[in-house]
Amino acid sequence: MGLFERVGRIIKANLNALVSAAEDPEKILNQTIEDMQEDLIQMRQSVAQAMASQKRMEKQYEQARQNVEEWQKRAELALRNNNEQLAREALMRKKTFAETAASMKKQLDEQNAQLLILRDNMAKLESKIAEAKTKKDMLIARARSAKATEQINQVIGKVNTSSAVAAFDRMEAKVEQLEARSAAVAELATDSLERQFLALEGGSSGVDDELALLKAKVLGSGSTPSGSLPSGSSAVDEELEDLKRSIDQI
């Protein structure tokens, strides 16, 4: 294989690849349908012209056939009038028109056959166009679906799944850490509150104990008459009031 032949094949292969990559199925299909429609229009025009030509030839053939009959009658008339020469000329005219009519009849038969072929081809083309339109819609839908799927796959391919999963794992751990911290703060707040109440309760019980001791000491310190307070009771009352006020402030 020569160098130029190899280079030519390489260039041709690259051009074919470029053309194939540039082909849009939707555009190609639409253009193909348009081309078929143009072919159908031209075929219809050809059929119409053939039919018009056939009509003209049928009229010419009918006129030639009538001329044959007319000159036949004239030849007979000339013979009835004993004019053989005139009858001979009439028969010669008849022969000319008969030959013309026979030639036209042959052409008409050929034209009829061609017209039938044209009509049959036109019907086939119309059927193919209808079928192509239906198939075109299906192919375009499939092409669009394939493009959409390809784009989705490309997007999915660009996404780093492992990094996304790792990010979710990190965020889940962070949320769990925040939840644990919130629970710890709530627990600490509850413990502090309980400790405060326990301190209050413990303090009040100590005061009650001290008050009981004071009562026992004061009331049991001397023999005072019933219904009267011992000396110094006012001082005890004042101390007791001071204790009460202290308790109320706590």
Side-chain angles (χ1 to χ4, degrees):
M1 182 184 296
L3 176 62
F4 292 106
E5 185 177 356
R6 292 171 61 189
V7 172
R9 286 191 177 182
I10 293 172
I11 294 174
K12 185 177 180 181
N14 290 331
L15 288 176
N16 288 335
L18 289 174
V19 171
S20 179
E23 282 183 341
D24 185 351
E26 186 170 350
K27 292 180 180 179
I28 295 298
L29 290 171
N30 287 329
Q31 184 62 47
T32 302
I33 295 295
E34 290 181 4
D35 294 341
M36 294 175 72
Q37 291 282 11
E38 291 179 359
D39 293 339
L40 180 60
I41 292 173
Q42 293 179 359
M43 186 169 288
R44 285 175 176 172
Q45 292 174 349
S46 299
V47 171
Q49 293 174 358
M51 291 176 66
S53 177
Q54 184 187 32
K55 293 292 183 183
R56 289 194 300 269
M57 189 167 291
E58 285 176 351
K59 289 181 179 180
Q60 293 174 357
Y61 168 73
E62 185 62 25
Q63 184 63 45
R65 194 181 62 79
Q66 291 177 1
N67 289 334
V68 170
E69 294 177 356
E70 181 66 23
W71 286 107
Q72 175 67 26
K73 292 177 182 179
R74 288 181 177 181
E76 293 174 357
L77 179 62
L79 286 177
R80 282 195 295 268
N81 288 284
N82 298 320
N83 192 338
E84 186 176 343
Q85 182 63 31
L86 188 59
R88 184 185 294 274
E89 292 178 0
L91 290 174
M92 289 178 65
R93 289 287 185 91
K94 172 193 170 184
K95 182 181 179 182
T96 301
F97 284 113
E99 291 174 353
T100 301
S103 176
M104 288 183 175
K105 182 65 170 64
K106 183 178 179 181
Q107 291 181 12
L108 276 174
D109 292 340
E110 292 175 355
Q111 235 178 18
N112 284 332
Q114 292 178 356
L115 186 58
L116 288 175
I117 294 173
L118 285 174
R119 286 180 172 178
D120 183 61
N121 290 336
M122 185 174 69
K124 288 180 180 179
L125 182 57
E126 289 175 346
S127 177
K128 286 183 179 180
I129 290 175
E131 181 182 356
K133 286 182 178 179
T134 303
K135 193 172 183 180
K136 179 202 74 171
D137 296 336
M138 294 175 59
L139 290 175
I140 288 176
R142 288 172 59 186
R144 290 177 178 176
S145 177
K147 286 182 179 180
T149 303
E150 182 181 3
Q151 291 175 354
I152 292 173
N153 290 333
Q154 288 176 351
V155 172
I156 293 175
K158 292 178 181 178
V159 175
N160 190 343
T161 307
S162 59
S163 63
V165 172
F168 273 94
D169 291 341
R170 288 198 308 274
M171 293 303 102
E172 184 177 4
K174 191 173 184 63
V175 170
E176 291 177 353
Q177 182 180 2
L178 291 174
E179 289 174 347
R181 186 184 301 173
S182 176
V185 171
E187 185 177 355
L188 290 174
T190 302
D191 292 343
S192 176
L193 187 62
E194 288 181 355
R195 283 197 301 270
Q196 291 179 17
F197 276 104
L198 288 175
L200 290 176
E201 292 173 357
S204 61
S205 62
V207 171
D208 291 339
D209 293 340
E210 187 177 358
L211 179 60
L213 291 174
L214 285 173
K215 284 183 178 180
K217 181 179 180 180
V218 172
L219 295 178
S221 61
S223 58
T224 57
S226 178
S228 64
L229 290 173
S231 60
S233 61
S234 59
V236 172
D237 292 337
E238 290 178 359
E239 185 178 358
L240 181 61
E241 290 298 328
D242 290 338
L243 288 173
K244 288 183 177 180
R245 282 195 296 270
S246 297
I247 291 172
D248 292 335
Q249 291 176 358
I250 292 176

